[in-house]
Amino acid sequence: MSRIQLPRRRFLALSAAGLGGALLAGCDRLSETPAVQDVLFSAESLTYRVQRLLGGRDALAREFTVADLSPVFKVNGSSMPEGEEYAALLEGNFVDWRLRVEGLVANPLDLSLEDLRNLPQRTQITRHDCVEGWSAIGKWRGVPLAIVLQHASLLPTARFVVFHCADVYERALDGTGQYYESIDLVDAFHPQTILAHSLNDAPLSVGHGAPLRLRVERQLGYKHAKYVMRIELTDRLDRFGRGQGGFWPDRGYEWYAGI
Amino acid sequence: MSETPETGLATPSQTPRRLAVYRHARVTRLTHWINFLCVSMLLFSGLQIFNAHPALYWGQFGADSDPSIFELGADESRPGPPAGFARIGSSTFETTGIFGLSRNASGEFAQRGFPAWLTLPSWRDLAMGRRWHFFFAWLFVGNLLVYVVAGLANGHLRRDLAPSRRQLRPGALLQDIVDHLRLKFPRGEEARHYNPLQKLTYLGVIGLLLPAMILTGLAMSPGMDAILPWLVDMFGGRQSARTIHFIAASLIVLFVCVHVAMVLLAGPVNELRSMITGRLLISVEDKHE
């Protein structure tokens, strides 16, 4: 709007441009003001409540057919966890890997890949939406999280499921950087929420989160934790990382990523 | 508009005399400026979000290895310094300095879809861009609802925006197009009402573009796609919805440019005052009174 060249109106146009510039510079300052952040961040709980109200607990994400699959499913985030422990598990083809389920449960579990494959399975072809904007369609197979949680038997105080991962995405100065994510019990018991061990009929590649990753289909990609090593049931999220319930939520992203 | 009788400012003996007419109701003025704020914030934070993956696709999916229909990027393969480019279909334009490659706060060239001075925040921060976007998206939707409900209740939409049958005649439309091209603005009694192109444009923006922004925005939400599966289907898939979101936003920018140009040409002080105080000065010849 400031580009219109009208000599008589030049002053107004320049004023508008100046105002626009000042507005954006002001918004930069506001972006770093905690009180403003609190106001902006309040939209997340409104979105969460409205989507839960409209969708209820069990609205299903669209499932596609084999004809809809992305030719290449993009690898994003960590593509190879560091450290000897993961390297040794990979070397042994994850035979020695165990999924620990603990926290506010009556029966803590240690499950091998074999154990998980022997539980009832679900296969789903779904669209993965990255927070960056791209989408990919893949065929996932795994055990519904609800079945694992039923085996573990939740204590009444459990409110969130936390997924602890093998990868450190970016080690920060405060020592955080270990990837983790968390979901509420509505999503945890949703029929499409699965612990996936295969993508497109093949065991998960390292890039896609071998040996096990979460699929929580009504939320964005960063919630779908890869390299899941440990599942912890908890009543509060402020005990983990920087307290916002996930690696990316700790870095300003929405904990509820249904949008 | 026209809720209270106009007040004559000049003495009756003068011809023509200038009349202050009550042009915009309070709710129209209030929602106009809130909408201006929301659309501005949504645009600049939207460009920040776009920059996280500066490519557009058609269909259900789309990522790096899939063919894109629009892309902003930097070409680092050729010898010498990288060049910014914008690609639409198979046509590529060099856009170094603006699109694809532009200077950051410290003056160095960096790969970036839209430049720092068009994004909110100016630095690369998808998380904050999203926070701004969704906060103002809620405010924008609420404001639009207030406007539409009030516009139906007080008759603003029917009386001021719906074109009359006479205005929709081909001859009248053609005449209005010619008048616009000649920058001939309505005077006197004609200035009391919106002209046909103005009405159709406002209705198109309010009735088509703004709802399209909201619906394509919702269609990009994986949560909403589970709740309203037909919504994303209506646009041919999530990546199509994202592309339409971008195109509709571009059309809104085009509308704002034309809108502001028209205000400047028609008399910015008078027009701005009418959207602040509600009163617009028009010249009316005595014989009409």
Side-chain angles (χ1 to χ4, degrees), chain A residues 9 12 24 27-28 31 44 47 51 62 72 74 127 129 132-135 252-254 258-259, chain B residues 53 61-62 64-65 117 120-122 126 130-132 138 221 223 225 233 238-239 264 268:
Chain A
R9 311 296 186 198
L12 271 166
L24 280 178
C27 288
D28 275 356
S31 297
E44 179 186 350
T47 303
Q51 289 201 357
R62 159 65 52 88
V72 177
K74 181 179 172 176
R127 197 190 64 218
D129 298 328
E132 294 167 1
W134 54 268
S135 307
Y253 288 84
E254 291 85 358
I259 187 166
Chain B
H53 189 83
F61 62 81
D64 298 2
S65 56
W117 52 273
L120 174 59
S122 61
L126 172 61
R130 284 169 54 82
R131 298 287 186 174
W132 282 101
W138 275 112
S221 148
D225 286 352
D233 287 345
R238 180 178 191 255
Q239 290 301 320
L264 293 176

mmCIF file of all heavy atoms in Angstrom, chain A residues 9 12 24 27-28 31 44 47 51 62 72 74 127 129 132-135 252-254 258-259, chain B residues 53 61-62 64-65 117 120-122 126 130-132 138 221 223 225 233 238-239 264 268:
data_model
loop_
_atom_site.group_PDB
_atom_site.id
_atom_site.type_symbol
_atom_site.label_atom_id
_atom_site.label_comp_id
_atom_site.label_asym_id
_atom_site.label_seq_id
_atom_site.Cartn_x
_atom_site.Cartn_y
_atom_site.Cartn_z
ATOM 1 N N ARG A 9 -0.083 12.733 -2.734
ATOM 2 C CA ARG A 9 -0.421 11.929 -1.559
ATOM 3 C C ARG A 9 0.822 11.297 -0.947
ATOM 4 O O ARG A 9 0.742 10.415 -0.128
ATOM 5 C CB ARG A 9 -1.389 10.810 -1.956
ATOM 6 C CG ARG A 9 -2.566 11.265 -2.781
ATOM 7 C CD ARG A 9 -3.436 12.211 -2.001
ATOM 8 N NE ARG A 9 -4.644 12.524 -2.758
ATOM 9 C CZ ARG A 9 -5.405 13.566 -2.492
ATOM 10 N NH1 ARG A 9 -5.101 14.397 -1.519
ATOM 11 N NH2 ARG A 9 -6.484 13.781 -3.207
ATOM 12 N N LEU A 12 1.082 11.044 2.779
ATOM 13 C CA LEU A 12 0.219 10.024 3.394
ATOM 14 C C LEU A 12 0.786 8.633 3.187
ATOM 15 O O LEU A 12 0.813 7.811 4.100
ATOM 16 C CB LEU A 12 -1.178 10.097 2.782
ATOM 17 C CG LEU A 12 -2.131 11.057 3.487
ATOM 18 C CD1 LEU A 12 -3.349 11.301 2.609
ATOM 19 C CD2 LEU A 12 -2.554 10.495 4.842
ATOM 20 N N LEU A 24 5.328 -3.285 12.796
ATOM 21 C CA LEU A 24 6.025 -4.574 12.799
ATOM 22 C C LEU A 24 7.179 -4.575 13.801
ATOM 23 O O LEU A 24 7.392 -5.568 14.497
ATOM 24 C CB LEU A 24 6.531 -4.903 11.392
ATOM 25 C CG LEU A 24 5.458 -5.469 10.454
ATOM 26 C CD1 LEU A 24 6.026 -5.714 9.077
ATOM 27 C CD2 LEU A 24 4.877 -6.749 11.013
ATOM 28 N N CYS A 27 5.695 -5.105 17.052
ATOM 29 C CA CYS A 27 5.281 -6.494 17.255
ATOM 30 C C CYS A 27 6.467 -7.390 17.584
ATOM 31 O O CYS A 27 6.336 -8.353 18.333
ATOM 32 C CB CYS A 27 4.553 -7.017 16.016
ATOM 33 S SG CYS A 27 2.925 -6.294 15.832
ATOM 34 N N ASP A 28 7.657 -7.056 17.026
ATOM 35 C CA ASP A 28 8.871 -7.797 17.395
ATOM 36 C C ASP A 28 9.111 -7.661 18.896
ATOM 37 O O ASP A 28 9.392 -8.641 19.579
ATOM 38 C CB ASP A 28 10.083 -7.229 16.633
ATOM 39 C CG ASP A 28 10.223 -7.854 15.245
ATOM 40 O OD1 ASP A 28 9.441 -8.767 14.928
ATOM 41 O OD2 ASP A 28 11.122 -7.427 14.510
ATOM 42 N N SER A 31 6.605 -9.622 20.801
ATOM 43 C CA SER A 31 6.835 -11.070 20.742
ATOM 44 C C SER A 31 7.727 -11.544 21.885
ATOM 45 O O SER A 31 7.715 -12.711 22.244
ATOM 46 C CB SER A 31 7.512 -11.453 19.416
ATOM 47 O OG SER A 31 6.671 -11.154 18.335
ATOM 48 N N GLU A 44 -4.335 -21.176 22.537
ATOM 49 C CA GLU A 44 -4.161 -22.626 22.462
ATOM 50 C C GLU A 44 -5.235 -23.358 23.278
ATOM 51 O O GLU A 44 -5.814 -24.338 22.803
ATOM 52 C CB GLU A 44 -2.770 -23.024 22.972
ATOM 53 C CG GLU A 44 -2.547 -24.531 22.935
ATOM 54 C CD GLU A 44 -1.237 -24.958 23.581
ATOM 55 O OE1 GLU A 44 -0.401 -24.092 23.889
ATOM 56 O OE2 GLU A 44 -1.069 -26.174 23.774
ATOM 57 N N THR A 47 -8.541 -23.216 21.477
ATOM 58 C CA THR A 47 -8.561 -24.176 20.372
ATOM 59 C C THR A 47 -8.755 -25.601 20.896
ATOM 60 O O THR A 47 -9.567 -26.367 20.363
ATOM 61 C CB THR A 47 -7.234 -24.102 19.579
ATOM 62 O OG1 THR A 47 -7.048 -22.761 19.130
ATOM 63 C CG2 THR A 47 -7.252 -25.042 18.384
ATOM 64 N N GLN A 51 -12.019 -27.778 19.996
ATOM 65 C CA GLN A 51 -11.878 -29.002 19.197
ATOM 66 C C GLN A 51 -12.353 -30.222 19.977
ATOM 67 O O GLN A 51 -12.989 -31.111 19.402
ATOM 68 C CB GLN A 51 -10.423 -29.179 18.729
ATOM 69 C CG GLN A 51 -10.041 -28.165 17.649
ATOM 70 C CD GLN A 51 -8.840 -28.595 16.818
ATOM 71 O OE1 GLN A 51 -8.234 -29.611 17.055
ATOM 72 N NE2 GLN A 51 -8.511 -27.782 15.830
ATOM 73 N N ARG A 62 -8.999 -39.028 8.877
ATOM 74 C CA ARG A 62 -9.224 -39.665 7.594
ATOM 75 C C ARG A 62 -8.209 -40.776 7.352
ATOM 76 O O ARG A 62 -7.025 -40.613 7.624
ATOM 77 C CB ARG A 62 -9.104 -38.612 6.491
ATOM 78 C CG ARG A 62 -8.809 -39.121 5.088
ATOM 79 C CD ARG A 62 -9.917 -39.969 4.515
ATOM 80 N NE ARG A 62 -11.205 -39.319 4.590
ATOM 81 C CZ ARG A 62 -11.683 -38.507 3.642
ATOM 82 N NH1 ARG A 62 -10.982 -38.251 2.581
ATOM 83 N NH2 ARG A 62 -12.865 -37.965 3.780
ATOM 84 N N VAL A 72 7.509 -40.803 -1.584
ATOM 85 C CA VAL A 72 8.602 -40.752 -0.608
ATOM 86 C C VAL A 72 8.058 -40.136 0.666
ATOM 87 O O VAL A 72 7.447 -39.067 0.621
ATOM 88 C CB VAL A 72 9.773 -39.882 -1.125
ATOM 89 C CG1 VAL A 72 10.873 -39.784 -0.068
ATOM 90 C CG2 VAL A 72 10.315 -40.430 -2.430
ATOM 91 N N LYS A 74 8.897 -38.204 3.766
ATOM 92 C CA LYS A 74 10.036 -37.392 4.176
ATOM 93 C C LYS A 74 10.502 -37.734 5.595
ATOM 94 O O LYS A 74 9.681 -37.899 6.508
ATOM 95 C CB LYS A 74 9.641 -35.908 4.113
ATOM 96 C CG LYS A 74 10.761 -34.966 4.498
ATOM 97 C CD LYS A 74 10.327 -33.501 4.409
ATOM 98 C CE LYS A 74 11.410 -32.599 4.979
ATOM 99 N NZ LYS A 74 11.105 -31.172 4.833
ATOM 100 N N ARG A 127 -2.541 -39.329 6.953
ATOM 101 C CA ARG A 127 -1.761 -38.186 6.485
ATOM 102 C C ARG A 127 -1.004 -37.589 7.663
ATOM 103 O O ARG A 127 -1.584 -37.310 8.710
ATOM 104 C CB ARG A 127 -2.711 -37.141 5.891
ATOM 105 C CG ARG A 127 -2.054 -36.100 5.020
ATOM 106 C CD ARG A 127 -3.037 -34.994 4.693
ATOM 107 N NE ARG A 127 -3.417 -34.317 5.938
ATOM 108 C CZ ARG A 127 -4.652 -33.883 6.200
ATOM 109 N NH1 ARG A 127 -5.615 -34.029 5.341
ATOM 110 N NH2 ARG A 127 -4.907 -33.287 7.348
ATOM 111 N N ASP A 129 0.958 -34.474 9.046
ATOM 112 C CA ASP A 129 1.047 -33.040 8.775
ATOM 113 C C ASP A 129 2.145 -32.423 9.621
ATOM 114 O O ASP A 129 2.023 -32.364 10.847
ATOM 115 C CB ASP A 129 -0.288 -32.355 9.103
ATOM 116 C CG ASP A 129 -1.422 -32.886 8.239
ATOM 117 O OD1 ASP A 129 -1.158 -33.257 7.081
ATOM 118 O OD2 ASP A 129 -2.567 -32.923 8.732
ATOM 119 N N GLU A 132 5.670 -27.500 9.814
ATOM 120 C CA GLU A 132 6.263 -26.618 8.802
ATOM 121 C C GLU A 132 5.318 -26.357 7.629
ATOM 122 O O GLU A 132 5.452 -25.351 6.940
ATOM 123 C CB GLU A 132 7.554 -27.251 8.256
ATOM 124 C CG GLU A 132 8.647 -27.363 9.293
ATOM 125 C CD GLU A 132 9.786 -28.266 8.843
ATOM 126 O OE1 GLU A 132 9.737 -28.800 7.712
ATOM 127 O OE2 GLU A 132 10.733 -28.439 9.626
ATOM 128 N N GLY A 133 4.389 -27.286 7.406
ATOM 129 C CA GLY A 133 3.418 -27.052 6.338
ATOM 130 C C GLY A 133 3.267 -28.198 5.354
ATOM 131 O O GLY A 133 2.275 -28.252 4.640
ATOM 132 N N TRP A 134 4.243 -29.121 5.292
ATOM 133 C CA TRP A 134 4.131 -30.196 4.316
ATOM 134 C C TRP A 134 3.336 -31.375 4.882
ATOM 135 O O TRP A 134 3.125 -31.467 6.091
ATOM 136 C CB TRP A 134 5.515 -30.653 3.827
ATOM 137 C CG TRP A 134 6.496 -31.040 4.899
ATOM 138 C CD1 TRP A 134 7.403 -30.217 5.501
ATOM 139 C CD2 TRP A 134 6.651 -32.335 5.516
ATOM 140 N NE1 TRP A 134 8.111 -30.919 6.440
ATOM 141 C CE2 TRP A 134 7.690 -32.215 6.465
ATOM 142 C CE3 TRP A 134 6.032 -33.576 5.350
ATOM 143 C CZ2 TRP A 134 8.114 -33.284 7.252
ATOM 144 C CZ3 TRP A 134 6.454 -34.647 6.138
ATOM 145 C CH2 TRP A 134 7.481 -34.495 7.076
ATOM 146 N N SER A 135 2.887 -32.255 3.996
ATOM 147 C CA SER A 135 2.136 -33.451 4.398
ATOM 148 C C SER A 135 2.654 -34.650 3.626
ATOM 149 O O SER A 135 3.097 -34.513 2.485
ATOM 150 C CB SER A 135 0.636 -33.306 4.081
ATOM 151 O OG SER A 135 0.108 -32.125 4.629
ATOM 152 N N GLY A 252 8.306 -23.152 22.570
ATOM 153 C CA GLY A 252 7.311 -22.169 22.126
ATOM 154 C C GLY A 252 6.158 -22.712 21.302
ATOM 155 O O GLY A 252 5.197 -22.002 21.034
ATOM 156 N N TYR A 253 6.263 -23.970 20.866
ATOM 157 C CA TYR A 253 5.175 -24.542 20.068
ATOM 158 C C TYR A 253 4.038 -25.002 20.965
ATOM 159 O O TYR A 253 4.225 -25.265 22.153
ATOM 160 C CB TYR A 253 5.704 -25.722 19.228
ATOM 161 C CG TYR A 253 6.586 -25.269 18.090
ATOM 162 C CD1 TYR A 253 7.935 -25.009 18.302
ATOM 163 C CD2 TYR A 253 6.070 -25.072 16.818
ATOM 164 C CE1 TYR A 253 8.745 -24.565 17.264
ATOM 165 C CE2 TYR A 253 6.872 -24.635 15.785
ATOM 166 C CZ TYR A 253 8.208 -24.387 16.012
ATOM 167 O OH TYR A 253 9.002 -23.937 14.984
ATOM 168 N N GLU A 254 2.851 -25.129 20.379
ATOM 169 C CA GLU A 254 1.675 -25.541 21.146
ATOM 170 C C GLU A 254 1.846 -26.969 21.665
ATOM 171 O O GLU A 254 2.267 -27.852 20.931
ATOM 172 C CB GLU A 254 0.417 -25.498 20.258
ATOM 173 C CG GLU A 254 -0.044 -24.106 19.855
ATOM 174 C CD GLU A 254 0.668 -23.577 18.619
ATOM 175 O OE1 GLU A 254 1.555 -24.266 18.080
ATOM 176 O OE2 GLU A 254 0.352 -22.438 18.220
ATOM 177 N N GLY A 258 -3.386 -29.817 17.610
ATOM 178 C CA GLY A 258 -4.469 -30.212 16.710
ATOM 179 C C GLY A 258 -4.692 -29.170 15.623
ATOM 180 O O GLY A 258 -5.581 -29.313 14.784
ATOM 181 N N ILE A 259 -3.884 -28.119 15.629
ATOM 182 C CA ILE A 259 -4.034 -27.047 14.647
ATOM 183 C C ILE A 259 -2.660 -26.653 14.133
ATOM 184 O O ILE A 259 -1.676 -26.768 14.849
ATOM 185 C CB ILE A 259 -4.751 -25.835 15.258
ATOM 186 C CG1 ILE A 259 -5.071 -24.779 14.211
ATOM 187 C CG2 ILE A 259 -3.954 -25.244 16.411
ATOM 188 C CD1 ILE A 259 -6.056 -23.743 14.693
ATOM 189 N N HIS B 53 8.174 -23.579 5.197
ATOM 190 C CA HIS B 53 8.215 -24.521 4.074
ATOM 191 C C HIS B 53 7.712 -23.758 2.851
ATOM 192 O O HIS B 53 6.535 -23.853 2.492
ATOM 193 C CB HIS B 53 7.340 -25.749 4.362
ATOM 194 C CG HIS B 53 7.518 -26.833 3.331
ATOM 195 N ND1 HIS B 53 8.545 -27.739 3.390
ATOM 196 C CD2 HIS B 53 6.831 -27.136 2.208
ATOM 197 C CE1 HIS B 53 8.468 -28.574 2.354
ATOM 198 N NE2 HIS B 53 7.430 -28.218 1.621
ATOM 199 N N PHE B 61 -1.270 -34.568 -0.298
ATOM 200 C CA PHE B 61 0.053 -34.515 0.331
ATOM 201 C C PHE B 61 0.981 -33.673 -0.514
ATOM 202 O O PHE B 61 0.680 -33.308 -1.652
ATOM 203 C CB PHE B 61 0.621 -35.930 0.528
ATOM 204 C CG PHE B 61 0.845 -36.692 -0.757
ATOM 205 C CD1 PHE B 61 1.987 -36.467 -1.526
ATOM 206 C CD2 PHE B 61 -0.084 -37.626 -1.203
ATOM 207 C CE1 PHE B 61 2.196 -37.157 -2.709
ATOM 208 C CE2 PHE B 61 0.120 -38.324 -2.391
ATOM 209 C CZ PHE B 61 1.257 -38.079 -3.149
ATOM 210 N N GLY B 62 2.157 -33.398 0.027
ATOM 211 C CA GLY B 62 3.166 -32.632 -0.684
ATOM 212 C C GLY B 62 4.314 -32.348 0.253
ATOM 213 O O GLY B 62 4.107 -31.842 1.364
ATOM 214 N N ASP B 64 9.088 -32.285 0.150
ATOM 215 C CA ASP B 64 10.264 -31.948 -0.664
ATOM 216 C C ASP B 64 10.329 -32.654 -2.013
ATOM 217 O O ASP B 64 10.630 -32.026 -3.033
ATOM 218 C CB ASP B 64 11.540 -32.288 0.112
ATOM 219 C CG ASP B 64 11.640 -31.476 1.386
ATOM 220 O OD1 ASP B 64 10.707 -30.704 1.670
ATOM 221 O OD2 ASP B 64 12.642 -31.610 2.097
ATOM 222 N N SER B 65 10.070 -33.977 -2.002
ATOM 223 C CA SER B 65 10.301 -34.733 -3.233
ATOM 224 C C SER B 65 9.084 -34.738 -4.154
ATOM 225 O O SER B 65 9.132 -35.312 -5.239
ATOM 226 C CB SER B 65 10.702 -36.165 -2.880
ATOM 227 O OG SER B 65 9.709 -36.732 -2.056
ATOM 228 N N TRP B 117 11.213 -7.989 6.629
ATOM 229 C CA TRP B 117 10.302 -6.862 6.862
ATOM 230 C C TRP B 117 8.858 -7.200 6.514
ATOM 231 O O TRP B 117 7.965 -6.357 6.660
ATOM 232 C CB TRP B 117 10.785 -5.610 6.125
ATOM 233 C CG TRP B 117 11.078 -5.816 4.660
ATOM 234 C CD1 TRP B 117 12.248 -6.227 4.113
ATOM 235 C CD2 TRP B 117 10.170 -5.618 3.563
ATOM 236 N NE1 TRP B 117 12.131 -6.304 2.739
ATOM 237 C CE2 TRP B 117 10.889 -5.941 2.373
ATOM 238 C CE3 TRP B 117 8.837 -5.203 3.468
ATOM 239 C CZ2 TRP B 117 10.294 -5.856 1.118
ATOM 240 C CZ3 TRP B 117 8.260 -5.116 2.213
ATOM 241 C CH2 TRP B 117 8.983 -5.445 1.054
ATOM 242 N N LEU B 120 6.233 -11.699 10.757
ATOM 243 C CA LEU B 120 6.028 -11.429 12.179
ATOM 244 C C LEU B 120 6.300 -12.716 12.946
ATOM 245 O O LEU B 120 5.603 -13.712 12.717
ATOM 246 C CB LEU B 120 4.585 -10.970 12.393
ATOM 247 C CG LEU B 120 4.109 -10.775 13.828
ATOM 248 C CD1 LEU B 120 4.953 -9.748 14.538
ATOM 249 C CD2 LEU B 120 2.653 -10.354 13.847
ATOM 250 N N PRO B 121 7.289 -12.754 13.827
ATOM 251 C CA PRO B 121 8.315 -11.734 14.069
ATOM 252 C C PRO B 121 9.236 -11.604 12.855
ATOM 253 O O PRO B 121 9.181 -12.432 11.953
ATOM 254 C CB PRO B 121 9.100 -12.291 15.267
ATOM 255 C CG PRO B 121 8.311 -13.423 15.817
ATOM 256 C CD PRO B 121 7.484 -13.945 14.696
ATOM 257 N N SER B 122 10.082 -10.571 12.858
ATOM 258 C CA SER B 122 10.928 -10.348 11.685
ATOM 259 C C SER B 122 11.973 -11.457 11.569
ATOM 260 O O SER B 122 12.339 -11.833 10.469
ATOM 261 C CB SER B 122 11.602 -8.979 11.778
ATOM 262 O OG SER B 122 12.425 -8.916 12.927
ATOM 263 N N LEU B 126 8.985 -19.810 13.708
ATOM 264 C CA LEU B 126 7.693 -20.405 13.356
ATOM 265 C C LEU B 126 6.765 -20.480 14.558
ATOM 266 O O LEU B 126 5.567 -20.206 14.444
ATOM 267 C CB LEU B 126 7.923 -21.805 12.758
ATOM 268 C CG LEU B 126 6.686 -22.661 12.500
ATOM 269 C CD1 LEU B 126 5.758 -21.985 11.494
ATOM 270 C CD2 LEU B 126 7.085 -24.048 11.992
ATOM 271 N N ARG B 130 3.104 -18.762 14.677
ATOM 272 C CA ARG B 130 1.861 -19.508 14.887
ATOM 273 C C ARG B 130 1.057 -18.933 16.054
ATOM 274 O O ARG B 130 -0.180 -18.861 15.986
ATOM 275 C CB ARG B 130 2.177 -20.985 15.130
ATOM 276 C CG ARG B 130 2.557 -21.742 13.864
ATOM 277 C CD ARG B 130 3.125 -23.119 14.178
ATOM 278 N NE ARG B 130 2.270 -23.937 15.026
ATOM 279 C CZ ARG B 130 1.228 -24.655 14.571
ATOM 280 N NH1 ARG B 130 0.927 -24.660 13.291
ATOM 281 N NH2 ARG B 130 0.501 -25.375 15.404
ATOM 282 N N ARG B 131 1.741 -18.537 17.117
ATOM 283 C CA ARG B 131 1.021 -17.972 18.273
ATOM 284 C C ARG B 131 0.272 -16.706 17.865
ATOM 285 O O ARG B 131 -0.887 -16.512 18.211
ATOM 286 C CB ARG B 131 1.998 -17.668 19.410
ATOM 287 C CG ARG B 131 2.731 -18.885 19.953
ATOM 288 C CD ARG B 131 1.814 -19.764 20.788
ATOM 289 N NE ARG B 131 2.548 -20.849 21.432
ATOM 290 C CZ ARG B 131 1.999 -21.678 22.311
ATOM 291 N NH1 ARG B 131 0.719 -21.561 22.635
ATOM 292 N NH2 ARG B 131 2.704 -22.639 22.857
ATOM 293 N N TRP B 132 0.958 -15.824 17.140
ATOM 294 C CA TRP B 132 0.300 -14.602 16.646
ATOM 295 C C TRP B 132 -0.869 -14.963 15.727
ATOM 296 O O TRP B 132 -1.951 -14.386 15.820
ATOM 297 C CB TRP B 132 1.290 -13.723 15.856
ATOM 298 C CG TRP B 132 2.249 -12.916 16.656
ATOM 299 C CD1 TRP B 132 3.557 -13.200 16.900
ATOM 300 C CD2 TRP B 132 1.987 -11.663 17.322
ATOM 301 N NE1 TRP B 132 4.125 -12.209 17.670
ATOM 302 C CE2 TRP B 132 3.193 -11.258 17.938
ATOM 303 C CE3 TRP B 132 0.858 -10.843 17.455
ATOM 304 C CZ2 TRP B 132 3.301 -10.070 18.673
ATOM 305 C CZ3 TRP B 132 0.973 -9.659 18.183
ATOM 306 C CH2 TRP B 132 2.177 -9.294 18.784
ATOM 307 N N TRP B 138 -8.663 -16.236 15.932
ATOM 308 C CA TRP B 138 -9.871 -16.272 16.779
ATOM 309 C C TRP B 138 -10.543 -14.902 16.821
ATOM 310 O O TRP B 138 -11.767 -14.784 16.698
ATOM 311 C CB TRP B 138 -9.511 -16.717 18.207
ATOM 312 C CG TRP B 138 -9.459 -18.211 18.376
ATOM 313 C CD1 TRP B 138 -8.343 -18.967 18.615
ATOM 314 C CD2 TRP B 138 -10.564 -19.130 18.337
ATOM 315 N NE1 TRP B 138 -8.698 -20.294 18.722
ATOM 316 C CE2 TRP B 138 -10.035 -20.424 18.560
ATOM 317 C CE3 TRP B 138 -11.934 -18.982 18.133
ATOM 318 C CZ2 TRP B 138 -10.834 -21.573 18.583
ATOM 319 C CZ3 TRP B 138 -12.738 -20.129 18.158
ATOM 320 C CH2 TRP B 138 -12.187 -21.390 18.378
ATOM 321 N N SER B 221 -5.999 -27.947 9.713
ATOM 322 C CA SER B 221 -5.860 -28.434 11.086
ATOM 323 C C SER B 221 -6.174 -29.922 11.142
ATOM 324 O O SER B 221 -7.283 -30.340 10.805
ATOM 325 C CB SER B 221 -6.820 -27.649 11.994
ATOM 326 O OG SER B 221 -7.276 -28.453 13.057
ATOM 327 N N GLY B 223 -6.785 -31.698 13.653
ATOM 328 C CA GLY B 223 -7.897 -31.894 14.589
ATOM 329 C C GLY B 223 -9.232 -31.619 13.919
ATOM 330 O O GLY B 223 -10.183 -32.391 14.042
ATOM 331 N N ASP B 225 -9.846 -31.696 10.745
ATOM 332 C CA ASP B 225 -10.082 -32.660 9.665
ATOM 333 C C ASP B 225 -10.732 -33.934 10.186
ATOM 334 O O ASP B 225 -11.471 -34.603 9.442
ATOM 335 C CB ASP B 225 -8.773 -32.990 8.940
ATOM 336 C CG ASP B 225 -8.328 -31.834 8.053
ATOM 337 O OD1 ASP B 225 -9.112 -30.882 7.903
ATOM 338 O OD2 ASP B 225 -7.222 -31.894 7.516
ATOM 339 N N ASP B 233 -11.974 -32.207 2.127
ATOM 340 C CA ASP B 233 -12.330 -32.797 0.821
ATOM 341 C C ASP B 233 -12.832 -31.724 -0.144
ATOM 342 O O ASP B 233 -12.583 -31.777 -1.342
ATOM 343 C CB ASP B 233 -13.425 -33.857 1.000
ATOM 344 C CG ASP B 233 -12.877 -35.124 1.644
ATOM 345 O OD1 ASP B 233 -11.637 -35.268 1.681
ATOM 346 O OD2 ASP B 233 -13.683 -35.944 2.109
ATOM 347 N N ARG B 238 -5.490 -31.416 1.870
ATOM 348 C CA ARG B 238 -4.894 -30.435 2.775
ATOM 349 C C ARG B 238 -3.909 -29.517 2.061
ATOM 350 O O ARG B 238 -3.863 -28.322 2.327
ATOM 351 C CB ARG B 238 -4.180 -31.137 3.930
ATOM 352 C CG ARG B 238 -3.548 -30.158 4.901
ATOM 353 C CD ARG B 238 -2.895 -30.854 6.070
ATOM 354 N NE ARG B 238 -2.522 -29.923 7.105
ATOM 355 C CZ ARG B 238 -1.254 -29.523 7.336
ATOM 356 N NH1 ARG B 238 -0.273 -29.983 6.598
ATOM 357 N NH2 ARG B 238 -0.991 -28.679 8.313
ATOM 358 N N GLN B 239 -3.122 -30.077 1.152
ATOM 359 C CA GLN B 239 -2.151 -29.207 0.477
ATOM 360 C C GLN B 239 -2.852 -28.257 -0.495
ATOM 361 O O GLN B 239 -2.420 -27.117 -0.667
ATOM 362 C CB GLN B 239 -1.069 -30.039 -0.210
ATOM 363 C CG GLN B 239 -0.127 -30.726 0.780
ATOM 364 C CD GLN B 239 0.595 -29.746 1.692
ATOM 365 O OE1 GLN B 239 1.026 -28.677 1.270
ATOM 366 N NE2 GLN B 239 0.722 -30.092 2.974
ATOM 367 N N LEU B 264 -7.391 7.037 -1.218
ATOM 368 C CA LEU B 264 -6.490 8.155 -1.481
ATOM 369 C C LEU B 264 -7.022 9.026 -2.615
ATOM 370 O O LEU B 264 -6.970 10.255 -2.548
ATOM 371 C CB LEU B 264 -5.088 7.636 -1.829
ATOM 372 C CG LEU B 264 -4.340 6.946 -0.680
ATOM 373 C CD1 LEU B 264 -3.006 6.390 -1.176
ATOM 374 C CD2 LEU B 264 -4.111 7.903 0.484
ATOM 375 N N PRO B 268 -8.663 11.215 1.040
ATOM 376 C CA PRO B 268 -8.323 10.400 2.202
ATOM 377 C C PRO B 268 -8.837 10.984 3.520
ATOM 378 O O PRO B 268 -9.245 10.222 4.408
ATOM 379 C CB PRO B 268 -6.792 10.339 2.167
ATOM 380 C CG PRO B 268 -6.355 11.432 1.275
ATOM 381 C CD PRO B 268 -7.463 11.664 0.300
#
